[in-house]
């Protein structure tokens, strides 16, 4: 089978729009978390760009800690099975701590739903979710998103941490991709 080639297409969210939205989110999260210690857990690799911009826009006197998890979906040929494998876990206990999961994009919802169940069992004081992009039309399992950057249509996107086969994470804007020849 010949691999389909893709090219980057139009900008869906510009770097300026992203920066503005992230400042709003950081302000809301900081207001909700004032006086508490906040553990921000980024999901590698896609959420790294978003997380680093988000925490740098939080007030300097907010007690913020940062950690990461790495997960991969067990997939069959055509569709995510909804089972997630932990490749790297959080480095410390989250019991009685205020945890914010930061993810690049929510699509079917399987990844976040699995992570919420897993982390909830570790008895955090609170557990919230923050996603930059939400493809709500594609949801297969219900997941509560506490902080959302942008709702977006059903399109595959790259840039600002999001990749296609490892490429295009470094792009400053978020683009849709299209098949070459279409
Ligand atoms: P879910 O488990 O919600 O279906 O999928 C979440 C994961 O799918 C994201 O963390 C991301 O890795 C991947 N994903 C879903 N949609 C897109 C997309 O449009 N672009 C990229 N680069 N990854 C996506």
């Amino acid at each position: 089978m010949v691999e389909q080639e893709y090219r980057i297409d139009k900008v869906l969210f510009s770097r300026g729009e992203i920066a503005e939205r992230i400042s709003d989110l950081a302000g809301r999260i900081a207001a909700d978390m004032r006086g508490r210690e906040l553990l921000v857990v980024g999901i590698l690799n896609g959420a790294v760009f978003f997380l680093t911009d988000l925490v740098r826009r939080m007030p300097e006197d907010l007690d913020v800690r940062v950690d990461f998890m790495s997960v991969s979906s067990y997939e069959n040929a055509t569709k995510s099975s909804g089972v997630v494998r932990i490749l790297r876990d959080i480095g410390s206990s989250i019991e009685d701590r205020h945890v914010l999961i930061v993810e690049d994009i929510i699509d079917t919802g399987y990844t976040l739903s699995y992570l919420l169940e897993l982390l909830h069992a570790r008895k955090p004081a609170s557990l919230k979710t923050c996603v930059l992009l939400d493809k709500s039309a594609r949801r297969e399992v219900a997941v509560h998103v506490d902080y959302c950057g942008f709702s977006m249509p059903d399109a595959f996107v790259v840039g600002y941490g999001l990749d296609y086969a490892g490429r295009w994470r470094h792009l400053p804007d978020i683009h849709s991709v299209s098949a070459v020849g279409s």
Side-chain angles (χ1 to χ4, degrees):
M1 200 177 84
V2 180
E3 282 263 313
Q4 175 68 61
E5 270 189 63
Y6 289 88
R7 62 165 177 246
I8 58 165
D9 213 338
K10 65 176 184 206
V11 171
L12 278 190
F13 302 104
S14 70
R15 63 198 81 180
E17 289 174 291
I18 296 168
E20 208 173 295
R21 192 71 189 111
I22 289 178
S23 288
D24 293 347
L25 289 177
R28 278 180 48 209
I29 294 166
D32 293 349
M33 287 294 155
R34 185 139 302 283
R36 297 175 180 165
E37 182 207 294
L38 172 64
L39 176 65
V40 180
V41 176
I43 309 305
L44 297 170
N45 296 327
V48 168
F49 295 57
F50 175 38
L51 180 145
T52 55
D53 282 343
L54 184 70
V55 296
R56 279 181 295 182
R57 288 187 183 114
M58 291 179 181
E60 290 184 11
D61 62 353
L62 192 72
D63 188 355
V64 180
R65 319 286 167 107
V66 173
D67 208 329
F68 294 95
M69 288 183 88
S70 176
V71 301
S72 92
S73 299
Y74 281 118
E75 289 182 2
N76 61 31
T78 53
K79 190 171 174 290
S80 169
S81 61
V83 179
V84 176
R85 187 160 54 113
I86 305 296
L87 302 178
R88 182 206 189 273
D89 208 338
I90 305 171
S92 55
S93 168
I94 61 165
E95 191 169 346
D96 293 332
R97 299 175 75 187
H98 296 282
V99 178
L100 178 69
I101 306 176
V102 173
E103 176 64 307
D104 49 8
I105 187 164
I106 178 167
D107 184 16
T108 62
Y110 282 120
T111 307
L112 260 187
S113 149
Y114 177 86
L115 286 172
L116 279 170
E117 199 177 314
L118 181 90
L119 298 185
H120 185 70
R122 299 181 186 177
K123 302 187 169 45
S126 68
L127 182 58
K128 290 187 175 180
T129 51
C130 176
V131 301
L132 181 61
L133 301 171
D134 183 356
K135 282 191 208 175
S136 51
R138 299 225 339 135
R139 199 76 86 254
E140 292 181 21
V141 282
V143 178
H144 181 71
V145 175
D146 296 282
Y147 306 99
C148 171
F150 302 98
S151 297
M152 61 165 284
D154 180 10
F156 194 83
V157 287
V158 296
Y160 197 69
L162 291 146
D163 73 312
Y164 173 72
R167 294 185 67 192
W168 297 319
R169 281 195 207 280
H170 66 296
L171 302 177
D173 307 299
I174 294 175
H175 301 251
S176 53
V177 295
S178 58
V180 170
S182 67

